[in-house]
Amino acid sequence: MIGAVDIGGTKIAVGMVTESGRLLARTECPTAPERGPSDGLARIAAMLRQTAAQAGQELMGIGIGCTGPVDPQAGTIGNVEFLPGWEGADIAGEVSHVFSIPVALENDADAAALGEAAWGVGRGAHSLVYVTVGTGIGGGLVLGGQLYRGVSGAHPEIGHHVIDPSGPACSCGAHGCWESLASGPAMVRWISDTFPNSASPARGLDAEGIFVAAGRGEPHALAAVAREGFYLGLGLANLITLFTPDVIALGGGVMRSRHLFWDTIQSTIRSACGFVPFEQVRLTPAALEPDTALVGAACAWLHRYRCDTLGLTEPVRTS
Ligand SMILES: [Zn+2]
């Protein structure tokens, strides 16, 4: 079995995964980034030991998915907005030293994309784009069976492609990025800004609360959800136009309420994708949710060290 670690801005999940992608044991703790990377590493090691004991099989290796920019070849964490003080931490090297087995580090969305390609909705597909929509929008691309990497191994940030330059300012410095228009917080912000003086029951709610209010037929919440579907559809239409993948796998908290805006997504794609066979692109919920990134981290290890297992071609080998 493979150890899996998913480091996010709010929580760290750890689990044990079989070579066929089955999650055997799982635990998690708050990230508490202010306690620093050494403390985080100690908690990760303890959770790996605990879940390995629960699963009771031999540990071959450990895959780590981490939010934000990472250096997959060096195994170090980059300048991650949600992990202040962790930049440069040699997380893969340290974990490998503790357990004396090889460790692979990937961006969490890249890990999730690999997991869906190998074990989820992308099984047998040539190309897959994974998109997660929650507090942000992220994603990864598996093209021709390979994880796509940019220059110097850079992770492409599909959540920050600009959809409306007159849109809201984004933390990345641009205006009207997909994330600034269609993430959960973007929907909340829109309701507050659009109905500042109203007594809308949807004001003051988080994204999940807005979906619940929309389900009850509350008009302002319904307007927010319609807008959400439109902007999600526009971003997905752009991805379809750019990559025409076999499959787009959709994950993240916002997508759990997709029944409320699925038709809007589809109609937006239909009207925006005039030159590509969009109707052949399979748009589907990710199969490994809610643990796509965790299970994907194990897949990232297999992809790195045992690529023959997945039928994927390995683009980077670090040891
Ligand atoms: Zn942005």
Side-chain angles (χ1 to χ4, degrees):
M1 68 183 176
I2 306 126
V5 181
D6 175 27
I7 305 174
T10 54
K11 72 173 194 313
I12 299 173
V14 169
M16 293 293 141
V17 178
T18 67
E19 277 179 88
S20 55
R22 196 158 60 86
L23 189 60
L24 297 173
R26 182 194 188 287
T27 188
E28 65 179 58
C29 73
T31 305
E34 70 284 354
R35 287 159 65 178
S38 300
D39 186 272
L41 274 163
R43 282 178 284 136
I44 287 167
M47 290 192 288
L48 281 166
R49 284 193 197 93
Q50 178 202 330
T51 48
Q54 278 170 357
Q57 294 182 26
E58 193 192 345
L59 201 50
M60 298 191 297
I62 297 165
I64 303 174
C66 183
T67 178
V70 301
D71 186 331
Q73 300 184 52
T76 54
I77 291 176
N79 180 16
V80 181
E81 185 186 356
F82 306 111
L83 300 173
W86 289 45
E87 186 174 0
D90 178 15
I91 191 127
E94 301 265 359
V95 173
S96 179
H97 178 71
V98 170
F99 289 88
S100 302
I101 48 176
V103 174
L105 175 69
E106 288 290 354
N107 169 274
D108 55 353
D110 281 342
L114 282 168
E116 284 296 328
W119 297 325
V121 294
R123 233 186 282 219
H126 178 78
S127 53
L128 171 138
V129 177
Y130 170 77
V131 177
T132 176
V133 184
T135 51
I137 298 182
L141 301 104
V142 177
L143 304 174
Q146 294 199 5
L147 176 65
Y148 174 80
R149 297 182 197 276
V151 61
S152 303
H155 168 69
E157 289 289 350
I158 62 173
H160 294 274
H161 81 275
V162 173
I163 286 193
D164 176 4
S166 66
C170 180
S171 58
C172 73
H175 283 76
C177 299
W178 196 18
E179 176 172 302
S180 75
L181 290 163
S183 65
M187 190 170 54
V188 173
R189 201 166 44 236
W190 181 82
I191 280 226
S192 303
D193 292 351
T194 310
F195 307 109
N197 301 313
S198 82
S200 164
R203 286 199 71 218
L205 295 177
D206 60 7
E208 206 171 324
I210 292 171
F211 288 131
V212 171
R216 283 197 307 262
E218 202 276 297
H220 294 163
L222 283 171
V225 169
R227 176 185 171 279
E228 177 69 15
F230 172 68
Y231 281 117
L232 282 176
L234 271 188
L236 291 168
N238 289 345
L239 293 176
I240 291 170
T241 296
L242 287 167
F243 299 106
T244 55
D246 293 308
V247 186
I248 297 181
L250 300 166
V254 166
M255 280 298 168
R256 282 201 290 272
S257 300
R258 61 186 173 274
H259 62 283
L260 292 169
F261 48 78
W262 194 252
D263 289 348
T264 312
I265 284 180
Q266 298 283 2
S267 62
T268 307
I269 290 172
R270 267 198 305 279
S271 58
C273 290
F275 283 167
V276 292
F278 65 88
E279 66 285 350
Q280 293 177 44
V281 177
R282 192 151 53 90
L283 194 66
T284 181
L288 306 175
E289 289 290 292
D291 286 312
T292 312
L294 181 63
V295 174
C299 190
W301 185 87
L302 275 176
H303 188 41
R304 184 86 53 93
Y305 292 100
R306 305 277 166 86
C307 52
D308 52 325
T309 315
L310 303 177
L312 298 173
T313 314
E314 168 52 28
V316 175
R317 190 171 285 276
T318 58
S319 67

